[in-house]
Amino acid sequence: MSRKDALSPREKILAVAGGLFFGEGFRAVGVDRLIAESGVAKATFYKHFPAKDDLIAAWLNLADNHMAAWMDKAVAEAADPIQALFEAVMGLARQPECLGCTFQGTALEFPALDHPNHAIALASKKRVLARLEDLAVEADAAEPRALAEQLYLLIEGAWASSRMFGKQAPVLHLAEAARILVRAARQ
């Protein structure tokens, strides 16, 4: 039995949708294609996701949970959590399968700040920024929020570069840039 066969119909739909949405964009992928590629009946699809926006929201929430878990793992038990996080970002951003940030793509496709999908993406970004501020406090930054915002912009740039350049993304000095910002924030 393959991994895909072991998934529930809802999980299959989300797995297929996530790959397609991430690679091609939300608006470029139609419901008929999602149904066909996930191998579920149309009634099953609509039972789980009455509208495409419901599926997008579910995918974004799942992606947010994955990102939070990924960040937790990256900094867990690290002597220098900020450096560990930036080493992890640097490594991920250079992977061929990394297409940048799904939440940046969401903001592009749903630019209205009050659109539900944009709101989910924005909430995720706010959680990342808050997490960075916590790390800045732990790093004894004189102005933790300022350092968090600087580090946040480095991460956002890495994801944008990954989408633009693929595995050739210019992120080899990302961890060093973070190190310089942290050092300056402590002075």
Side-chain angles (χ1 to χ4, degrees):
M1 179 183 278
S2 73
R3 162 110 167 88
K4 188 176 177 184
D5 292 335
L7 299 176
S8 72
R10 185 177 195 282
E11 291 169 330
K12 284 180 188 177
I13 296 165
L14 283 167
V16 167
L20 292 174
F21 289 159
F22 193 49
E24 299 177 27
F26 300 107
R27 296 180 196 258
V29 179
V31 170
D32 289 339
R33 182 172 174 202
L34 291 164
I35 291 168
E37 292 197 26
S38 62
V40 300
K42 191 176 240 182
T44 301
F45 181 91
Y46 284 109
K47 174 183 152 196
H48 292 286
F49 304 104
K52 186 177 173 185
D53 273 341
D54 296 321
L55 173 59
I56 293 169
W59 159 246
L60 291 172
N61 285 313
L62 184 63
D64 182 44
N65 291 337
H66 284 291
M67 177 54 78
W70 179 84
M71 284 182 73
D72 287 345
K73 184 178 177 185
V75 302
E77 300 179 33
D80 186 337
I82 292 174
Q83 281 305 293
L85 176 60
F86 277 83
E87 292 288 341
V89 170
M90 199 167 64
L92 183 57
R94 292 192 50 87
Q95 296 298 312
E97 63 274 7
C98 184
L99 299 174
C101 176
T102 195
F103 303 109
Q104 287 178 357
T106 302
L108 177 65
E109 288 197 57
F110 303 101
L113 295 176
D114 62 346
H115 190 284
N117 295 331
H118 189 106
I120 294 169
L122 181 58
S124 177
K125 292 299 186 178
K126 286 180 177 181
R127 280 188 287 281
V128 169
L129 188 55
R131 182 68 183 277
L132 290 170
E133 189 169 1
D134 291 343
L135 293 176
V137 168
E138 290 174 25
D140 294 323
E143 296 181 43
R145 181 63 181 204
L147 176 59
E149 290 177 3
Q150 294 164 355
L151 295 171
Y152 174 83
L153 292 173
L154 284 179
I155 291 173
E156 291 301 299
W159 298 144
S161 292
S162 181
R163 180 61 139 185
M164 183 63 66
F165 291 92
K167 67 180 182 177
Q168 300 302 317
V171 295
L172 288 177
H173 304 286
L174 186 67
E176 179 59 24
R179 188 176 358 264
I180 290 167
L181 288 173
V182 170
R183 191 177 320 127
R186 287 180 178 148
Q187 296 176 1

